[in-house]
Each structure stands twice: as structure tokens, then as C-alpha cells.
Amino acid sequence: MLQAHYQVLRPLTTAHLAQTMTLLCMTAAELRQQIDSELAANPALELVEERRCPTCARLLPPRGACPICSRPQSLTADDPIVFISPREDFYTGSRPNQEEAPEDNYSSAVEDLPTYVLRQIAPELPVADRPMAAYLLTHLNEDGLLEASLVEVARYHHIPLSHVEDVVRMIQHADPIGVGSASPQEAMLVQLEVLAESRYVPELAEEAVRCGMDLLSRHQYTDLARRLRIGTRQAQEIARFISENLNPFPARSHWGDQREASAPPMQVYHHPDILITHLNDDVNGQLVVEIIMPLMGTLRINPLFRQAIRQASEEKIDEWKNDLDRASLFVKCIQQRNHTMQRLMSRVVSIQQSFILNGEAYLKPLTRALLSLELDVHESTISRAVANKAVQLPNGRIVPLSMFFDRSLNVRTVLKSLIERETRPLSDTELATLLAHQGYSVARRTVAKYRAMEGILPAHLRQSPVYVPA
DNA sequence: CTATGGCACGGATT
DNA sequence: AATCCGTGCCATAG
């Protein structure tokens, strides 16, 4: 029945194609903006009353029955229920005039680090300083460290250096604490300072970070002890405190020494574009996939407008006709987008079902190319649809949709559990053979890379490098 | 000599 | 066409 409905919108023009592609890339929040501006600009477009399912009270698309309550019997447990779920509240919240409540002002479902930080400091930040703060934040590297020279920033914005430093200080105290520091050392010093406000910090920790960074990172505790003029044991304790509580790279969640640069620039996902839940919250229930449509009600062409156009004056008629075409194109594109997302998710979820249910180790290798073949669309279509989207799993975790296409996540997870269960530190070579026994054949060098990705230290630094006294 | 990280190459993926 | 990823080789540290 849905098929039939969507067949109607076949005629493809290049404009249609281009706009569908653009819409496909958008997250729900971006889509919302797009729709808002289109509604405001085009009188031919209107938003009509929503429909709710009489049984479950879900919001429904304009036509067709409730996808949950009236699902066909023929569906097996492997076929997830996929439908478009209109939810305005999800993205707009209580929008205007409350600039201070960060959770209510969703500009995007996927927020990058600069935005995330800016949002935190915005309330205290004088408006005049915003451009400068924004400039600073855009010059963070992927570790959350600042790569710009403060002197130059000051000169460029014609602001005293001390003022720039004040703003940097504010940034450093925002959530990934230490973000915006010039070096790992500086970041850690800030973290110490903040930590000291709420809990005990070993006396010489600051001293150790200040002058013993080189030794700390190489785990040379005897030398460190000598430099601080304390006992080795005390030095080890300080080192342990530091490695457990401080993070030299604020944008990374875990601490590893010199990690290889594969950690993605941190992104904070506030709100998913897609929800995956169990039917009726029953853990064994069928999977239900909701593709968020950030809008109550439904978009359509205003029928009054269509009538009015017949009696339009000569000058106006071209303009109005243009509006009408735009509006109907827009509606078609939106529907096309939804249709594609629906087909895509249906397939992805049924392929990766065991990943969703059982965790990362069960992720199957899946490429966009394979999927494009199955769904009979171009590869780039899949790429666009997958990019920048966030999915909420039944367990509540919000992950990027691209995780479903991660080729090595399952191996990495097995590797992690292998290391967690080890009794003595295993070398990369040993790990590689162990993995091979479990059917994952990867090269020794690759094990090292995966280790680094997960922020796991090399074998000789892993277990008990620090002796923990009672 | 062993373990590991850097660099770079080639094939797959986007 | 551009980018990502697994791997091999080599240098370096312990």
C-alpha cells in the first residue's frame, strides 16, 4: 500500500534529484530548519492538521494506517517495522527567548566540539567577544587543543592579549575540561585546578605535571621521584592519580599515551535522527524503527492557493505558478527522502539485527556499495543518507549511523575483551594469533592500530606499571 | 633480540 | 577522483 502511494511521485527531473540529494544529507534538525524557511517563503505550501492512531495515539502520516497497530501478519521477526514518525517536540522544545537553557536550543542533532563549548560559555560571554571566541574554537585540533597563537589572535581582533587570555580561560573551564589549552601539559594543569575544588589532589601532582611531563609519559617513575625529591613509591602514586584523573587530550574520552590519530573529532549527539526500540518495550519483541520527521502534521499544497491561481491577475500569475511548482517539488522531495530512508533502515536493521540486540561484537561487515546494490540506488545516495545521522539503539545509546558500516568494530570489540580478560600483558603478536583462532585474521600491525584506536596501552605499559600499595 | 610505532603503498570504499 | 584502511618494512627503544 505504501508502495502504491509512492509510485505516484515518479516523474524525475534534475531539480527533483538534486533537491532530494540535499534533503537526504540533512539531519532531522536541519530538515526542520529547511521546512520552516520553505513554509515562510512559499504561500503555496501549507501545514495541515496531524492525524493520530486511534489505538496507540501515535502521530501518523497523512494517509495509510498505523504502521504498528495494523502491521501485516506476513512480517517475520527479521523484518523490522519501519515508519516515519512526526515529532515536533523532539527538536524545537521550548525554543525562543530561553537562550540560557542549552538543552532546549537544538540547532543540530549532531553537535561538534566548538559548538558544544560555545553553548556552555555563551551566557557569560559578552556579545562583543563572541567573534573572538568563535575564532578560537574553530582553531581547536582534533585533540581539543588550541593551535592558534594568542598573540596573533589578539592582534587580529584588536583586543588586548590579557582579554584573549581571559576568554581562553573560560573555554578551558567548559566541559571537556582543559579544552582550548595550548598543550597537553596546560590542559592537565587546568584539570588539576578544577579537580582540587572538589576533591583531594596529591600535593606534588601539579609539580609533576609542570616539570615532569617527559618522564610521566615514558613511565620513568624513578627519575620522576628523583626530580621531585620524593620516594619512588610516592612518585608512582602521583603518576597513578594523574593517569586516572587527567586527560592530556580534552577531546578524547580515554587516556592513552601517544595514541595514533584515528580518534574522530569529538561529536556530541544530543538527539537521534532515528529511533530503534522494541515493540511494546518487550525485550524479545520485534524491532521498531522510527525515522524522525521533525514536524507535526503534514506538508501539502494549499488547495485554496491552487484555486486562487485561476483568478490571478496577469502580472501575478507567473510568480504564483512558480510558487506552486516549487511547493509541489518540495513536497515530493521530502517524500522521496522519507521513502529512501525507510527502505534503507529496513534493510540495515534487519542485517545488523544481532548487533542491535547483542552488542558491538556482533556487527557484521557491511558496505554502502553492497546496500546500494540491494536497494537498487546509487552508492552516493546511501552515502548521503548515512552521513551525519544519529541513531538511538534500544538500550538508549546514541551512535552515528555510520557505525553500522564500520568494518572493524567487531574485531576491535573482541580484541578489547581479550585484553580485559588477559592475566598477563599479551603482546600484539600473541593477540594476533589469538584473534586468528577465533576466526578474525588480522595482521600484527593491525592489532596495534586497533589497540591505539581503543586507547589501550602497549603490553609493556599495560599491567601493573604502577605498584599500588595498600 | 623482541615489541612497537612511523611511513608509505595498494587496494577497497565512498 | 579522493579518502580510508590494512599491511609490510624499517627504525628505535628496552
Side-chain angles (χ1 to χ4, degrees), chain A residues 165-166 168-174 177-178 181 184-203 205-207 209-210 241-242 245-247:
Chain A
E165 284 170 347
D166 287 343
V168 169
R169 188 135 272 278
M170 276 172 69
I171 293 175
Q172 286 175 328
H173 284 77
I177 295 171
S181 301
Q185 186 179 33
E186 191 185 337
M188 289 165 80
L189 286 173
V190 175
Q191 288 162 18
L192 274 178
E193 183 190 323
V194 173
L195 225 50
E197 289 167 14
S198 60
R199 84 215 234 354
Y200 168 77
V201 170
E203 283 177 39
E206 187 190 327
E207 193 65 14
V209 173
R210 209 177 280 285
F241 176 87
I242 289 175
N245 295 291
L246 305 186
N247 182 352

Side-chain angles (χ1 to χ4, degrees), chain A residues 105-377:
Chain A
N105 190 7
Y106 313 126
S107 61
S108 164
V110 183
E111 205 171 54
D112 57 10
L113 185 60
T115 320
Y116 178 63
V117 175
L118 186 60
R119 196 186 296 290
Q120 294 173 68
I121 63 173
E124 305 171 48
L125 192 68
V127 179
D129 288 339
R130 287 195 181 191
M132 188 248 294
Y135 178 86
L136 288 173
L137 288 170
T138 51
H139 285 256
L140 295 177
N141 67 15
E142 59 179 4
D143 293 328
L145 299 176
L146 188 61
E147 293 197 318
S149 137
L150 295 192
V151 184
E152 282 177 25
V153 175
R155 196 179 322 144
Y156 181 76
H157 287 267
H158 306 287
I159 292 172
L161 181 59
S162 65
H163 197 132
V164 178
E165 284 170 347
D166 287 343
V167 174
V168 169
R169 188 135 272 278
M170 276 172 69
I171 293 175
Q172 286 175 328
H173 284 77
D175 176 44
I177 295 171
V179 64
S181 301
S183 67
Q185 186 179 33
E186 191 185 337
M188 289 165 80
L189 286 173
V190 175
Q191 288 162 18
L192 274 178
E193 183 190 323
V194 173
L195 225 50
E197 289 167 14
S198 60
R199 84 215 234 354
Y200 168 77
V201 170
E203 283 177 39
L204 290 171
E206 187 190 327
E207 193 65 14
V209 173
R210 209 177 280 285
C211 10
M213 273 298 282
D214 50 334
L215 302 180
L216 271 175
S217 58
R218 271 175 289 158
H219 295 253
Q220 295 167 342
Y221 303 120
T222 31
D223 294 343
L224 179 68
R226 199 171 313 134
R227 195 177 292 180
L228 296 177
R229 302 205 187 101
I230 54 174
T232 308
R233 206 159 134 185
Q234 201 181 345
Q236 286 177 339
E237 266 200 73
I238 291 177
R240 190 166 64 94
F241 176 87
I242 289 175
S243 81
E244 278 175 13
N245 295 291
L246 305 186
N247 182 352
F249 306 109
R252 300 184 177 181
S253 42
H254 299 294
W255 137 286
D257 261 357
Q258 315 88 358
R259 190 124 41 106
E260 286 177 29
S262 38
M266 187 181 105
Q267 294 196 315
V268 183
Y269 293 92
H270 286 292
H271 293 281
D273 300 285
I274 294 154
L275 292 180
I276 302 180
T277 49
H278 289 287
L279 186 60
N280 304 327
D281 289 333
D282 167 15
V283 197
N284 299 314
Q286 202 170 353
L287 287 176
V288 178
V289 182
E290 298 180 43
I291 294 158
I292 305 288
M293 188 65 190
L295 193 73
M296 292 284 210
T298 315
L299 284 178
R300 68 165 192 196
I301 309 279
N302 188 338
L304 293 179
F305 191 90
R306 209 190 279 277
Q307 274 184 2
I309 205 168
R310 295 207 191 102
Q311 316 148 15
S313 59
E314 283 299 322
E315 321 94 76
K316 289 274 178 177
I317 198 157
D318 275 351
E319 188 189 331
W320 286 16
K321 194 133 182 67
N322 186 25
D323 280 344
L324 192 71
D325 288 345
R326 261 192 67 150
S328 74
L329 178 66
F330 188 68
V331 171
K332 275 181 197 167
C333 289
I334 295 257
Q335 286 174 351
Q336 181 80 54
R337 173 197 135 105
N338 288 343
H339 179 53
T340 308
M341 290 300 296
Q342 215 170 357
R343 295 208 312 145
L344 172 76
M345 286 315 296
S346 165
R347 198 67 198 108
V348 168
V349 169
S350 89
I351 290 176
Q352 300 291 21
Q353 194 178 33
S354 80
F355 157 66
I356 294 164
L357 301 177
N358 308 321
E360 298 180 353
Y362 297 84
L363 188 72
K364 295 193 184 114
L366 172 66
T367 67
R368 294 155 171 82
L370 180 76
L371 214 57
S372 77
L373 227 63
E374 285 195 23
L375 299 183
D376 196 29
V377 293

Side-chain angles (χ1 to χ4, degrees), chain A residues 429-447:
Chain A
T429 319
E430 292 170 310
L431 288 167
T433 48
L434 267 166
L435 281 173
H437 286 311
Q438 303 200 16
Y440 304 99
S441 95
V442 283
R444 189 280 306 170
R445 189 63 190 81
T446 311
V447 174

